[in-house]
Amino acid sequence: MQYTILSDDYEIKEIRFLEKNINDYPNKDMFSKIQSGIIGENYYIFKYLKKGNYEKQILDEFNILKSFDINHIGNGVAILNVNYVDFDFIFTNDNSYIASFGENMFSLYSGSSLISENNKIKIPNYIKKSHMDKSFFYKVNSNLLKSQIEDIKNIVGEENIDYIKYIPGASRTIVYQNNGPDLYFNNLVDISLQLKKYRGIVASSLVNYKSLLEIDLGSNNDVIIKNK
């Protein structure tokens, strides 16, 4: 049995990545780096003794990755499948798709299956790919923004939301509803207090909610309402 496992037949001479992995995030340097530390290794020794440390090294360098799996298919060929992290947001405008995980940013192509509608947030068109780095979260960090967006979705109701837009320079979130007024939130002010104001307006018998065009909940102590 020992001879069989250590046989030259199990030396990894070629790595094949899943086409879907490459299409989702076509970073040649990343895929080249992954395979460089595997080629020439014995499949069983690598998979069961070395993979853990090597995987950690790769994930530290390419933080878009969550893990990778390797399987031997014979004749010195191994199939490698990479697993990408679950993004916090997909920021999009007419120019680009930028995924974020924590405060790390990754540029995606429009056809990538990693783009999910569930966490898509629109941003102004003047924001270019070159602007999308950690400074994007200078005023409102990623964890806080994620929490704020989740609170807004929970109270307003995802079924009522057409799309959400975030303006980082102004630290404002705008919620465009399917059949309701646009809602303006200030991300530098307690979102729970703004949502409390929102619930009060919805519940008020003095306000015809469907006749409203905009509700600004975070500009000052008062709510600013615009009618159609």
Side-chain angles (χ1 to χ4, degrees):
M1 182 65 177
Q2 182 181 27
Y3 171 78
T4 303
I5 291 176
L6 298 180
S7 167
D8 290 344
D9 292 340
Y10 291 108
E11 179 185 344
I12 301 173
K13 299 175 182 178
E14 180 186 350
I15 295 288
R16 296 178 187 173
F17 293 95
L18 297 184
E19 185 176 355
K20 179 179 180 298
N21 289 163
I22 298 173
N23 291 340
D24 280 343
Y25 189 67
N27 185 319
K28 292 182 179 179
D29 291 340
M30 181 180 76
F31 290 107
S32 178
K33 180 63 180 289
I34 294 172
Q35 73 174 7
S36 68
I38 302 176
I39 295 293
E41 291 283 349
N42 175 281
Y43 169 74
Y44 287 101
I45 291 176
F46 177 80
K47 182 167 185 175
Y48 295 107
L49 297 179
K50 295 185 177 182
K51 178 178 176 288
N53 288 334
Y54 185 64
E55 184 177 52
K56 183 180 184 304
Q57 176 186 332
I58 291 296
L59 268 55
D60 285 344
E61 183 171 352
F62 300 99
N63 42 31
I64 192 173
L65 296 176
K66 180 165 56 178
S67 62
F68 66 77
D69 307 308
I70 186 168
N71 290 288
H72 188 261
I73 61 172
N75 299 319
V77 178
I79 296 291
L80 198 144
N81 174 42
V82 300
N83 302 299
Y84 295 103
V85 297
D86 298 319
F87 300 121
D88 297 322
F89 297 108
I90 304 291
F91 295 105
T92 178
N93 56 25
D94 290 345
N95 305 306
S96 57
Y97 289 89
I98 305 293
S100 72
F101 177 67
E103 298 191 0
N104 299 303
M105 315 289 273
F106 311 96
S107 179
L108 300 179
Y109 290 95
S110 59
S112 173
S113 69
L114 301 178
I115 296 173
S116 168
E117 294 295 327
N118 293 333
N119 55 1
K120 188 183 289 185
I121 302 290
K122 290 193 176 185
I123 53 176
N125 284 334
Y126 61 77
I127 298 179
K128 310 299 182 184
K129 289 182 182 179
S130 58
H131 301 153
M132 300 295 286
D133 55 26
K134 291 184 178 180
S135 63
F136 185 88
F137 296 109
Y138 174 68
K139 291 184 178 180
V140 180
N141 67 51
S142 176
N143 288 335
L144 178 57
L145 181 61
K146 184 178 181 180
S147 174
Q148 290 176 334
I149 296 296
E150 287 175 353
D151 288 345
I152 290 171
K153 287 182 176 180
N154 287 336
I155 298 301
V156 177
E158 290 193 57
E159 69 280 3
N160 298 318
I161 297 174
D162 184 14
Y163 66 92
I164 296 174
K165 187 173 187 177
Y166 179 61
I167 306 174
S171 301
R172 299 297 295 258
T173 293
I174 308 172
V175 176
Y176 295 90
Q177 299 190 85
N178 295 312
N179 294 296
D182 300 336
L183 307 175
Y184 289 74
F185 294 90
N186 185 339
N187 296 86
L188 299 180
V189 177
D190 190 338
I191 288 293
S192 64
L193 294 179
Q194 296 174 70
L195 287 169
K196 184 177 181 180
K197 295 177 185 178
Y198 166 76
R199 287 196 300 265
I201 293 171
V202 173
S204 175
S205 59
L206 302 177
V207 177
N208 183 355
Y209 186 73
K210 292 184 177 180
S211 71
L212 304 182
L213 180 65
E214 298 177 359
I215 304 176
D216 188 338
L217 297 151
S219 287
N220 50 41
N221 292 329
D222 298 320
V223 175
I224 301 174
I225 295 177
K226 291 184 180 180
N227 293 293
K228 293 179 180 178

